[in-house]
Amino acid sequence: MVQRILVSTLVALFVLFGTTAARAADDQTAQTFIQGLAQNAIATVAAQNVSDTDRNERFRKIFVSAFDIPEIGKFVLSRHWRAVTPAQQAAFLKEFEDTQVLMWSRRFKDYNGVSLETLGANKEGEATWLVDSQIIRPQAPPISVQWRVHGAADGSMRVIDIISSGISMVLTYRDDYASALKLNGGNVDALLAVMRAKNERRVL
């Protein structure tokens, strides 16, 4: 009887410590992913001696590889995603990608001397983590930023949301696009036309 209790206790301890170690490894992987993403973006996109076109393409490569654009697009378009055609879905994802690339690559111009420090990661769900970080700025207070990442189907990690000062990027975009659709009577083609025109103006 005593031996059976000891064996059960040892098994329970192995399971507990094994699970804790695996989770720690996953948390560290999520944290390392964000740290590497930030370092890559700052080193390549924030470089001061590149043209706007080159900067855009550099950020696009990072954005496409590190962010789950289809997942974000589905969330942002919300109930409208299921109501539109596959062609409209693809068009929205393209314009959404262009919007992010053109907006963020320009912001990186002003990121000279900026760095990002990760502070830890916590698992939220089956394959989702929230990574805490802060952006270190010269002669200015740091900015707290959280990154929600998940494990993609191909085994890689992808960003699905950025939270700064308690404000979610994807929730903000969802509200913005919902308002734009409401102004256009729910017409997705009209929304796409507006997005396309804005992107073309950003390029000029």
Side-chain angles (χ1 to χ4, degrees):
M1 182 68 175
V2 174
Q3 184 176 3
R4 186 179 302 169
I5 293 174
L6 287 173
V7 170
S8 299
T9 302
L10 285 172
V11 170
L13 286 173
F14 278 127
V15 170
L16 174 63
F17 287 125
T19 302
T20 302
R23 175 171 176 174
D26 289 341
D27 292 350
Q28 185 59 51
T29 301
Q31 187 174 342
T32 302
F33 165 67
I34 291 301
Q35 187 70 61
L37 169 61
Q39 289 175 347
N40 186 24
I42 291 171
T44 59
V45 186
Q48 298 300 300
N49 58 342
V50 298
S51 66
D52 289 343
T53 300
D54 193 16
R55 195 186 310 277
N56 289 345
E57 289 311 307
R58 290 183 181 195
F59 185 80
R60 187 183 300 278
K61 288 179 181 178
I62 293 173
F63 185 66
V64 170
S65 64
F67 285 72
D68 195 333
I69 301 172
E71 191 68 24
I72 295 172
K74 290 177 187 178
F75 182 87
V76 166
L77 213 53
S78 188
R79 61 185 177 84
H80 298 282
W81 180 265
R82 296 184 297 273
V84 299
T85 66
Q88 289 173 317
Q89 291 174 351
F92 176 79
L93 292 179
K94 178 190 178 300
E95 295 304 328
F96 180 77
E97 177 185 318
D98 286 347
T99 298
Q100 300 307 305
V101 168
L102 294 169
M103 177 179 66
W104 285 103
S105 61
R106 289 192 177 187
R107 291 186 181 182
F108 267 92
K109 273 185 166 182
D110 302 323
Y111 280 11
N112 191 25
V114 171
S115 63
L116 182 137
E117 176 188 7
T118 53
L119 306 174
N122 293 292
K123 195 168 186 179
E124 287 190 321
E126 183 64 28
T128 307
W129 291 264
L130 195 64
V131 180
D132 293 314
S133 72
Q134 59 180 2
I135 297 175
I136 311 298
R137 302 177 294 167
Q139 301 177 341
I143 302 174
S144 296
V145 179
Q146 293 179 305
W147 308 72
R148 181 166 283 113
V149 302
H150 75 164
D154 60 3
S156 64
M157 284 197 165
R158 298 291 181 92
V159 178
I160 54 175
D161 195 12
I162 302 174
I163 303 163
S164 180
S165 301
I167 300 174
S168 161
M169 176 189 75
V170 294
L171 285 175
T172 300
Y173 286 154
R174 187 174 68 175
D175 290 344
D176 289 345
Y177 286 120
S179 297
L181 279 166
K182 187 175 181 179
L183 287 174
N184 290 283
N187 188 325
V188 174
D189 286 329
L191 171 64
L192 292 172
V194 171
M195 294 174 69
R196 193 175 299 113
K198 286 184 177 180
N199 288 335
E200 289 173 354
R201 285 198 298 271
R202 288 190 177 105
V203 171
L204 297 176

